[in-house]
Amino acid sequence: MKLNCIVVDDSAIQRITITKLVNESTLLNLIGDFANALEAKNCINNNTIDLIFLDIEMPLINGFDLLDGLKTKPQIIFITSKADYAVKAFDYEATDFLQKPISKERFNKAVKKATEMHALRYENHEDQGESIVIKSNLKKLKVYLSRIKWIEAYGDYIKVVTDDESHLVLSTMKGFEKELPSGKFIRVHKSYIINLDRVEKFNSKFAEIGTTKIPLSRNKKEEIVKAIENS
């Protein structure tokens, strides 16, 4: 299976270089290449895009701003001439970070990582349903959504609590929330996201999952009650 991808870079020379590498890859299907974020966003909203090769430094709207404006975020491979952006790119849960000039070997390594991530993320099993991939303890783990009870802020990490165990993931709550289906999971507090299917009881202050009481933010009460009742 090929990944549908786009290339976004304001430099024509860089776009030509990257699109050439994309077209030479047997794992990728190029949907388009764009000189600015506005054109790219329109393409993303109207096509199924699995992967974006994204330049960070662009005029008007940079790469990070483009991602902030997307409702659904494909996998991202950042491309930049400055290594200084690597830490911020990690906050956006980038699949990889390529520094210009890009070698074919390094490009192919990043693509392989993206295809493996795609296969893990969308591999479904009838008995346990949809799954996502998380990185915990330097290992990639496949976690079934049905087995997640809640997600909790934990300093610079988040804690994914499942039926079996808890996993610490270096991520923000906002970033991880984007990876979850909104119809099944909801942010109920600045420090908590819950699986609606696992809620056993709730009132104006707490949602109960097993013996654990998850606090509910006062300003989200109506949204939470409606979501739980409709789940």
Side-chain angles (χ1 to χ4, degrees):
M1 180 180 179
K2 292 186 176 183
L3 301 188
N4 289 335
C5 68
I6 61 171
V7 177
V8 188
D9 196 315
D10 62 312
S11 167
I13 294 175
Q14 289 297 330
R15 286 201 313 280
I16 291 171
T17 300
I18 299 166
T19 54
K20 182 175 184 293
L21 290 169
V22 169
N23 287 326
E24 289 175 351
S25 173
T26 59
L27 302 174
L28 301 174
N29 177 41
L30 182 65
I31 300 299
D33 63 278
F34 305 96
N36 62 71
L38 290 176
E39 293 178 354
K41 185 175 181 180
N42 183 58
C43 176
I44 295 166
N45 289 336
N46 290 284
N47 295 275
T48 300
I49 305 299
D50 302 308
L51 176 63
I52 306 175
F53 292 94
L54 181 61
D55 184 25
I56 295 175
E57 293 185 303
M58 294 185 292
L60 300 179
I61 301 176
N62 65 33
F64 295 128
D65 293 335
L66 169 62
L67 297 180
D68 287 337
L70 296 179
K71 292 181 179 179
T72 303
K73 187 175 68 176
Q75 285 194 74
I76 308 298
I77 294 178
F78 281 115
I79 297 170
T80 181
S81 57
K82 296 182 179 179
D84 298 350
Y85 289 114
V87 174
K88 188 172 182 180
F90 190 82
D91 289 338
Y92 281 79
E93 299 181 341
T95 299
D96 211 334
F97 184 93
L98 300 180
Q99 192 170 355
K100 303 173 184 177
I102 304 165
S103 69
K104 185 172 183 178
E105 181 182 3
R106 183 65 182 85
F107 177 87
N108 288 339
K109 184 177 179 180
V111 170
K112 183 180 179 182
K113 186 187 297 185
T115 54
E116 290 174 349
M117 182 71 75
H118 183 85
L120 283 171
R121 182 179 294 177
Y122 294 100
E123 180 184 4
N124 294 332
H125 293 266
E126 293 181 2
D127 56 341
Q128 300 200 60
E130 188 178 356
S131 64
I132 60 170
V133 175
I134 63 174
K135 189 174 183 179
S136 179
N137 235 3
L138 301 178
K139 295 180 180 179
K140 290 180 182 178
L141 304 171
K142 181 166 64 177
V143 178
Y144 291 101
L145 296 180
S146 63
R147 302 190 68 80
I148 296 176
K149 296 195 287 187
W150 71 84
I151 296 95
E152 179 179 347
Y154 202 81
D156 292 332
Y157 293 77
I158 61 167
K159 182 163 67 173
V160 181
V161 181
T162 72
D163 289 321
D164 308 304
E165 56 187 323
S166 298
H167 305 284
L168 285 181
V169 179
L170 185 58
S171 174
T172 62
M173 292 288 282
K174 181 180 178 181
F176 197 79
E177 185 179 10
K178 292 179 180 179
E179 301 297 317
L180 300 169
S182 58
K184 293 184 178 181
F185 290 83
I186 184 171
R187 181 90 171 263
V188 296
H189 186 276
K190 65 179 181 180
S191 298
Y192 290 94
I193 299 170
I194 61 173
N195 183 342
L196 292 169
D197 291 338
R198 306 304 297 271
V199 175
E200 298 171 16
K201 300 177 184 177
F202 71 94
N203 55 34
S204 61
K205 294 183 179 181
F206 299 99
E208 294 186 29
I209 300 178
T211 59
T212 302
K213 291 184 176 181
I214 307 293
L216 306 181
S217 293
R218 189 179 305 172
N219 62 350
K220 297 193 72 175
K221 178 182 173 183
E222 290 186 10
E223 178 185 348
I224 295 164
V225 170
K226 184 178 180 181
I228 292 175
E229 289 179 341
N230 291 334
S231 64

